[in-house]
Amino acid sequence: MSQDVDRELARLWRVSRTVHEMVRDRGYLVAEYEIEQSFEDFKDAHGSSGVVEMKKELINNSRNNMHFTCDHSERTGDRLLVWFCPERNVPKSSIKIFLGQMEHRSANKGILIHPDKMGSAANKAMMEMQAEYHLESFSEADLLVNITRHFLVPKHTIMRPEEKAALIKRYRLKETQLPRIMITDPVAKYYGMRRGQVMKIERASETAGRYITYRICM
């Protein structure tokens, strides 16, 4: 039982580290220790110490202890809630709890992390609330590894609206003429892109030193 619990906690530890890196890369304020936390420290904070519990209950309690909110470093009033759902097949009732937590913590954006998949009713409830909140969901499997840290993934930066406008003016382009990146692309999801935003992608080049391309989110 102990090995099974440690394996599950190690999985959550990896997910937690990636999530904290992700929100920091989006410009939110995250303490460095939350990213650099060792597995042993994570286990002490989220696991069970000397208490005999059922494996499922222990892991779900760990997820319940992993919720956190953070404010954006530049945008006043931009607060994000990251919420870990314990249900493997997320029901609609969990979305109501998630939204209730957002309201309670005065968050205008939310990321829901789930162990397996979203139920159809939960997906519909998320879609219905998109006009009021900016909501996202990730499975834990998608966050076990930070894909932006892979050596084959170039540097990505979301352009500010004024930078996008200057780019289009400089090259006399229409938005439809820009290469596209799908909103479902893993890197686009990592940075929380919205439709119409432009991603600046910088690649190393043997001849030019640096090669820059731009993609609009669709």
Side-chain angles (χ1 to χ4, degrees):
M1 175 69 78
S2 177
Q3 289 183 346
D4 289 342
V5 169
D6 278 359
R7 190 178 300 112
E8 291 290 336
L9 288 176
R11 175 187 172 89
L12 289 178
W13 168 64
R14 293 170 63 188
V15 171
S16 174
R17 181 175 57 189
T18 300
V19 169
H20 281 88
E21 289 174 341
M22 181 173 72
V23 298
R24 180 193 61 185
D25 290 346
R26 294 185 183 191
Y28 290 91
L29 298 170
V30 177
E32 196 64 28
Y33 75 86
E34 293 178 302
I35 296 174
E36 301 298 333
Q37 186 180 43
S38 69
F39 174 55
E40 291 303 318
D41 287 342
F42 178 87
K43 190 164 62 170
D44 288 343
H46 298 284
S48 178
S49 178
V51 179
V52 178
E53 294 182 87
M54 295 296 291
K55 174 186 171 184
K56 181 178 179 180
E57 182 181 350
L58 189 154
I59 299 302
N60 285 348
N61 285 341
S62 298
R63 289 190 177 96
N64 289 331
N65 290 332
M66 290 167 66
H67 313 324
F68 67 93
T69 55
C70 49
D71 295 303
H72 199 274
S73 59
E74 298 178 356
R75 298 191 294 265
T76 303
D78 186 347
R79 172 169 287 186
L80 172 71
L81 166 66
V82 177
W83 194 75
F84 288 77
C85 179
E87 302 290 342
R88 300 205 68 83
N89 189 6
V90 182
K92 184 177 180 180
S93 58
S94 290
I95 303 302
K96 292 181 179 179
I97 296 172
F98 174 44
L99 295 172
Q101 285 296 311
M102 287 185 63
E103 184 176 353
H104 176 69
R105 303 186 189 204
S106 301
N108 60 318
K109 296 180 181 177
I111 296 177
L112 185 148
I113 314 295
H114 51 89
D116 193 1
K117 60 183 179 180
M118 295 277 289
S120 58
N123 262 322
K124 183 179 179 181
M126 289 269 284
M127 292 296 294
E128 289 174 347
M129 295 303 297
Q130 287 291 359
E132 187 173 348
Y133 299 105
H134 180 57
L135 305 175
E136 303 169 65
S137 65
F138 290 84
S139 71
E140 291 177 3
D142 291 336
L143 298 171
L144 286 172
V145 175
N146 187 335
I147 57 171
T148 67
R149 301 295 185 264
H150 194 282
F151 74 98
L152 291 177
V153 177
K155 180 181 178 181
H156 288 68
T157 308
I158 296 179
M159 301 182 74
R160 298 174 185 269
E162 59 270 22
E163 293 173 330
K164 172 187 171 181
L167 172 72
I168 290 174
K169 182 178 179 180
R170 185 190 318 145
Y171 294 106
R172 299 179 181 179
L173 296 170
K174 295 180 180 178
E175 289 190 7
T176 53
Q177 293 176 300
L178 287 169
R180 299 178 180 184
I181 182 171
M182 300 304 295
I183 198 168
T184 53
D185 182 275
V187 175
K189 287 194 65 178
Y190 179 90
Y191 286 103
M193 288 191 78
R194 297 189 182 190
R195 298 185 193 279
Q197 289 186 311
V198 173
M199 183 74 83
K200 178 182 178 181
I201 305 171
E202 301 177 57
R203 293 182 173 86
S205 169
E206 293 183 2
T207 55
R210 190 179 61 158
Y211 176 62
I212 299 178
T213 57
Y214 303 91
R215 294 185 180 275
I216 188 166
C217 184
M218 303 297 290

